[in-house]
Amino acid sequence: MTSLPTPDDLRSDERVELELEARRGLRRVAGITTELEDVTEVEYRQLRLERVVLIGVWTSGTLDEAETSLQELKALAETAGSLVLEGLVQRRDTPDAATFVGSGKAKELRDIVLATGADTVVCDGELTPGQLRQLEEIVKVKVIDRTALILDIFAQHARSREGKAQVELAQMEYMLPRLRGWGESLSRQAGGRVAGGGGIGTRGPGETKIETDRRRIRQRSAKLRRDIAAMRTAREVKRQERRRRAVPSVVIAGYTNAGKSSLLNRLTGAGVLVENALFATLDPTVRRAETPDGRLFTLADTVGFVRHLPHQLVEAFRSTLEEVGEADLVLHVVDGSHPDPLSQLAAVREVLAEIEAGHVPELVVVNKSDVSDAATLARIERAEPDAVCVSAVTGAGLDQLRERIAESLPRDVEVTLHVPYDRGDVVARVHQHGRVSSVEHTDTGSRIVAALPAPLAAELAPFG
């Protein structure tokens, strides 16, 4: 009897293909409605998106910018497995405090929902608990905001234990102030003889269902924070080991779906999952790479950023994003085929500043140059004169990118060391991490001339 192949038996490209098939095979089934029922928010958040209508409020900027934002929301909804039926934008100075779009527009939205048969409304913004509740009362179907949509995508794509814990924590933080219920089913208040006839001294409001949910969420959040803190320690140990070995670190950051994983695969042959979808990569991947002149460095892929990235996600993923702040160089990848790449650059830099990584040297890499518009590329080059244009698909510009990475990494320091014969460990480290020019054996020890990374050169200064 022939046994099925295990993941270890498969080549990297076969594993990626199987993963892609599995992910695409779990798309949502059309025709299943998710209208509001008498359920708790804990159950409610588990209902799946289906046939959706998008609604956005255009408060500033141009109409093109508002429509681009709604197109991005459409891509997010489709990545989550939804069928987008309609997209609407309303011009207002500020979102309505009660219903986000105003009571009149909310009724128009209800008519559109009825006409299209939609069962979910997705708002392009973060709604307050009050806005969410009142808009649902008017349209009579489930309403979610941009933040909940992104959290749903993250929950689908997280694969590692750390990634799943980070996403769940972000969901809990988002959900806690939005707990609510319908009807009487959430009340567990009892008095008199209702709860076993306790009588005087035992009457009063017990713990309601919504209070129980809040308590359980807080307990679960506390456990997740402890787990993430423990994983953060393990990640920090690995970073310290890389620093001890004086290996430079390069991190690939950028807008979601800009081609970061494709670029990592091209530069290192990592075999990371690549999919034309938003937030296909959540779990960071670190691979070893080499400059054209033979210097080793690590190249790390990170989660993609997006406009108005939920602050719950930034906080939950902070331990992962610390890879960026500890790096020697950030490859800021931007999609050259996007209609507004400069706004993507600004959105990513905003998140980098939020995680205190704005000080790290940055090299802008314009990907997808093979399908980019010449005018768009010229606009990027005017704004970012030092940018490198590449194509992870065709390989164009990658040699130039490797040269620029080599120029940007910390340079080795020429040193002359006098190492006693009983310190073979020092000689081994010099040979392992440096480029040795000459070795001369004297009466007192070895005289070594070598080029070493700056941190290691400083550490071995006493042997100079």
Side-chain angles (χ1 to χ4, degrees):
M1 183 175 176
T2 305
S3 60
L4 294 174
T6 65
D8 293 336
D9 298 329
L10 300 174
R11 299 195 313 271
S12 176
D13 55 343
E14 291 176 333
R15 285 199 300 271
V16 169
E17 188 63 32
L18 285 175
E19 189 175 338
L20 278 172
E21 288 180 10
R23 181 173 289 182
R24 289 167 181 157
L26 291 174
R27 292 301 184 197
R28 310 264 167 70
V29 179
I32 302 175
T33 61
T34 52
E35 293 187 3
L36 295 180
E37 296 176 0
D38 194 13
V39 293
T40 71
E41 176 66 15
V42 176
E43 295 162 333
Y44 174 66
R45 74 184 179 89
Q46 296 174 349
L47 300 178
R48 296 306 186 185
L49 303 181
E50 187 55 41
R51 299 161 59 85
V52 305
V53 172
L54 311 179
I55 180 72
V57 174
W58 170 27
T59 58
S60 61
T62 65
L63 178 59
D64 287 343
E65 291 173 349
E67 290 180 347
T68 298
S69 180
L70 207 68
Q71 286 291 342
E72 183 175 273
L73 188 68
K74 176 177 179 287
L76 287 167
E78 289 174 344
T79 299
S82 304
L83 175 63
V84 179
L85 304 176
E86 192 74 66
L88 310 165
V89 175
Q90 184 198 9
R91 182 73 172 97
R92 292 180 64 95
D93 292 333
T94 58
D96 182 68
T99 61
F100 185 66
V101 293
S103 57
K105 293 297 179 184
K107 292 175 182 176
E108 291 181 29
L109 180 61
R110 178 190 60 194
D111 295 338
I112 292 171
V113 166
L114 290 172
T116 58
D119 54 26
T120 305
V121 172
V122 183
C123 298
D124 192 14
E126 183 166 338
L127 303 187
T128 65
Q131 288 173 328
L132 198 63
R133 183 178 63 255
Q134 293 194 48
L135 191 56
E136 279 183 343
E137 288 175 356
I138 296 173
V139 299
K140 302 300 182 186
V141 295
K142 180 157 65 81
V143 176
I144 67 168
D145 57 16
R146 182 188 180 93
T147 299
L149 180 59
I150 293 174
L151 289 172
D152 183 85
I153 296 170
F154 271 54
Q156 291 183 58
H157 290 183
R159 299 184 64 234
S160 70
R161 179 168 169 260
E162 183 176 15
K164 289 176 180 178
Q166 289 166 329
V167 172
E168 186 178 355
L169 177 61
Q171 286 180 317
M172 295 289 181
E173 292 295 316
Y174 171 81
M175 186 172 51
L176 188 59
R178 291 170 175 81
L179 286 176
R180 64 197 185 283
W182 298 272
E184 298 293 327
S185 68
L186 299 191
S187 176
R188 288 183 179 170
Q189 299 184 13
R193 301 182 183 276
V194 178
I200 295 173
T202 64
R203 286 188 287 260
E207 184 177 39
T208 63
K209 182 67 167 67
I210 204 166
E211 289 166 347
T212 303
D213 290 341
R214 284 198 187 104
R215 175 169 52 80
R216 287 175 177 169
I217 287 174
R218 290 192 182 101
Q219 289 173 345
R220 180 64 180 162
S221 297
K223 182 181 184 303
L224 287 170
R225 285 196 184 90
R226 290 194 298 270
D227 291 346
I228 291 171
M231 297 178 215
R232 177 180 182 177
T233 302
R235 188 178 294 279
E236 176 60 27
V237 168
K238 291 179 182 177
R239 277 202 297 264
Q240 287 178 354
E241 179 64 17
R242 289 200 295 268
R243 284 196 293 267
R244 188 182 70 80
R245 293 178 176 271
V247 179
S249 170
V250 178
V251 169
I252 303 176
Y255 214 77
T256 180
N257 209 31
K260 299 183 296 299
S261 296
S262 299
L263 190 62
L264 177 71
N265 288 344
R266 269 286 185 173
L267 292 173
T268 66
V272 174
L273 170 69
V274 173
E275 184 179 8
N276 184 24
L278 305 187
F279 301 115
T281 302
L282 289 190
D283 303 314
T285 302
V286 181
R287 290 292 183 269
R288 177 172 146 170
E290 194 173 298
T291 62
D293 57 0
R295 286 183 292 157
L296 292 179
F297 65 94
T298 59
L299 191 62
D301 190 12
T302 61
V303 62
F305 301 144
V306 72
R307 267 190 220 81
H308 312 302
L309 189 67
H311 68 274
Q312 296 96 338
L313 278 174
V314 175
E315 286 302 315
F317 277 74
R318 186 171 289 277
S319 63
T320 301
L321 294 174
E322 282 175 356
E323 293 280 353
V324 183
E326 296 284 339
D328 296 296
L329 176 67
V330 171
L331 295 186
H332 186 164
V333 182
V334 61
D335 182 356
S337 65
H338 191 271
D340 190 9
L342 296 182
S343 69
Q344 291 192 347
L345 282 167
V348 172
R349 284 170 177 159
E350 185 179 328
V351 179
L352 290 177
E354 188 174 349
I355 62 174
E356 300 176 359
H359 64 283
V360 181
E362 176 191 70
L363 175 59
V364 176
V365 181
V366 184
N367 194 21
K368 307 183 185 180
S369 60
D370 55 318
V371 292
S372 302
D373 179 68
T376 303
L377 289 178
R379 195 163 77 248
I380 298 173
E381 288 173 357
R382 282 196 300 271
E384 303 289 339
D386 295 328
V388 181
C389 293
V390 303
S391 170
V393 173
T394 66
L398 290 181
D399 289 340
Q400 183 189 0
L401 176 59
R402 290 187 179 97
E403 293 288 347
R404 292 290 301 276
I405 292 173
E407 294 171 6
S408 304
L409 288 178
R411 283 288 172 183
D412 291 345
V413 179
E414 290 284 346
V415 297
T416 300
L417 304 176
H418 300 274
V419 184
Y421 287 122
D422 61 350
R423 292 304 306 272
D425 59 315
V426 174
V427 176
R429 290 183 66 189
V430 170
H431 280 277
Q432 183 178 0
H433 302 296
R435 286 177 289 121
V436 178
S437 302
S438 66
V439 178
E440 181 183 346
H441 299 293
T442 67
D443 295 338
T444 57
S446 301
R447 181 178 180 274
I448 303 175
V449 178
L452 300 178
L456 182 57
E459 184 181 344
L460 300 182
F463 297 96

